[in-house]
Amino acid sequence: MLIAQITDAHVAGEGKLFFGRFDTGAALARAVAALNALAPRPDIVLFTGDLADKGTPEEYAYIRRLLAPLEIPLAVVPGNHDRREAMRQSFADNPWLPADGFLHQVIDDYPLRLIGLDTLDEAEFSRGLVCAERLDWLDRQLAADMGRPTIVFMHHPPFLTGIGHMDPINCAGGAALEEVIARYPGVVRVLCGHVHRPVVLGWGGTIASIAPGVAHQLPLDLRAEAPSAFIFEPPAFDLHLWIPGQGLTSHRHLIGDFGPAISYSTNQPI
Ligand SMILES: [Fe+2]
Ligand SMILES: [Fe+2]
């Protein structure tokens, strides 16, 4: 099974530029084209939040048009730039999103179980939240099928990254979530977004990772006083390959035109 993770598109309305200078809609279109060009094709794409920039119905209508060419099933969870009801209405035809409540989901159609956790707190501008109700929901889902390898995907990282301006706006309730995750050895990965940078760590008895954004990135700045900033490093997405007997093996795919691959003889050293 092959799983793609895209994140943090921040699509502004059609014809609008993110921060007045970057066409995030075009960036999402390039990500969709890159996903369709993969061989083999992923079985599913997980979109880990910040689909929209302001979360308006107009933005979601544009996002749906941009995603329409995607030839792979898509699952979505909201980020802090999304708005729950506008997103739900726009994705009403999605087979996994619930009709009310949090935009959690359990996807049981594949060898790996995929659990989407909604960390959006609409009372907060940026920070996420796993409250007692969400924690209880996740605990029950994990307990319901402990025998299957499972991925939990969510927007806000429930851990620290060392990036000074992002850690205060990570996922509140992260310590309690870590305790729950640690009780279920079937959780092979926790996939996050929000930070617009690649990060990987051991957490909760498993591996957690953050995928880079498909649009703009955040500069690598590990000073405590790091100012908020973004940068146009190459966009990318992650690919997670399930190898039975080994586990989840992850690759990063840069989005862009880097020229054709150049073949070489296996008799030549490289
Ligand atoms: Fe974001
Ligand atoms: Fe975010």
Side-chain angles (χ1 to χ4, degrees), residues 11 31 44-45 94 106 114 123 156 167 186 193:
V11 173
I44 188 168
V45 177
N94 188 278
V106 179
L114 308 169
H156 295 85
D167 284 344

Side-chain angles (χ1 to χ4, degrees), residues 14-269:
E14 189 160 16
K16 291 185 185 162
L17 298 178
F18 175 77
F19 270 77
R21 58 181 295 171
F22 183 61
D23 189 345
T24 44
L28 179 58
R30 288 192 289 272
V32 168
L35 288 162
N36 283 338
L38 291 171
R41 285 260 175 88
D43 296 284
I44 188 168
V45 177
L46 308 178
F47 200 156
T48 48
D50 284 355
L51 285 65
D53 192 43
K54 305 237 173 354
T56 63
E58 294 73 26
E59 285 184 354
Y60 288 114
Y62 182 36
I63 290 164
R64 289 304 307 263
R65 289 199 296 280
L66 292 166
L67 290 171
L70 182 65
E71 296 169 4
I72 307 164
L74 176 75
V76 295
V77 286
N80 49 297
H81 284 260
D82 295 304
R83 285 296 164 266
R84 193 172 283 116
E85 292 314 316
M87 186 167 154
R88 189 198 315 277
Q89 284 181 18
S90 175
F91 286 87
D93 58 337
N94 188 278
W96 301 299
L97 283 184
D100 51 42
F102 294 114
L103 292 174
H104 302 321
Q105 61 217 273
V106 179
I107 301 172
D108 267 327
D109 313 50
Y110 301 98
L112 267 76
R113 211 160 173 247
L114 308 169
I115 300 182
L117 186 65
D118 175 345
T119 59
L120 172 59
D121 181 356
E122 291 190 344
E124 285 279 336
F125 184 63
S126 296
R127 189 166 191 173
L129 175 65
V130 175
C131 57
E133 184 182 353
R134 299 183 227 206
L135 201 60
D136 179 61
W137 178 86
L138 179 66
D139 200 355
R140 282 186 280 114
Q141 307 315 312
L142 291 170
D145 192 353
M146 294 177 67
R148 289 198 26 226
T150 299
I151 287 174
V152 175
F153 63 103
M154 56 198 286
H155 181 68
H156 295 85
F159 45 77
L160 301 176
T161 63
I163 298 175
H165 65 97
M166 291 304 288
D167 284 344
I169 55 167
N170 68 357
C171 188
L177 178 62
E178 183 174 20
E179 281 182 30
V180 168
I181 296 281
R183 289 207 303 271
Y184 297 98
V187 178
V188 295
R189 189 70 58 89
V190 176
L191 301 176
C192 305
H194 187 55
V195 180
H196 297 237
R197 283 212 65 77
V199 178
V200 62
L201 73 159
W203 180 87
T206 185
I207 298 167
S209 58
I210 301 173
V214 294
H216 51 290
Q217 315 300 326
L218 302 191
L220 178 58
D221 188 342
L222 298 176
R223 295 172 299 163
E225 69 277 19
S228 300
F230 57 85
I231 191 170
F232 297 110
E233 291 178 4
F237 55 77
D238 282 356
L239 284 168
H240 307 286
L241 176 65
W242 179 247
I243 301 179
Q246 174 170 293
L248 198 66
T249 306
S250 297
H251 300 262
R252 180 147 300 132
H253 183 86
L254 299 182
I255 303 168
D257 183 3
F258 306 106
I262 299 164
S263 300
Y264 65 93
S265 165
T266 51
N267 295 327
Q268 286 180 295

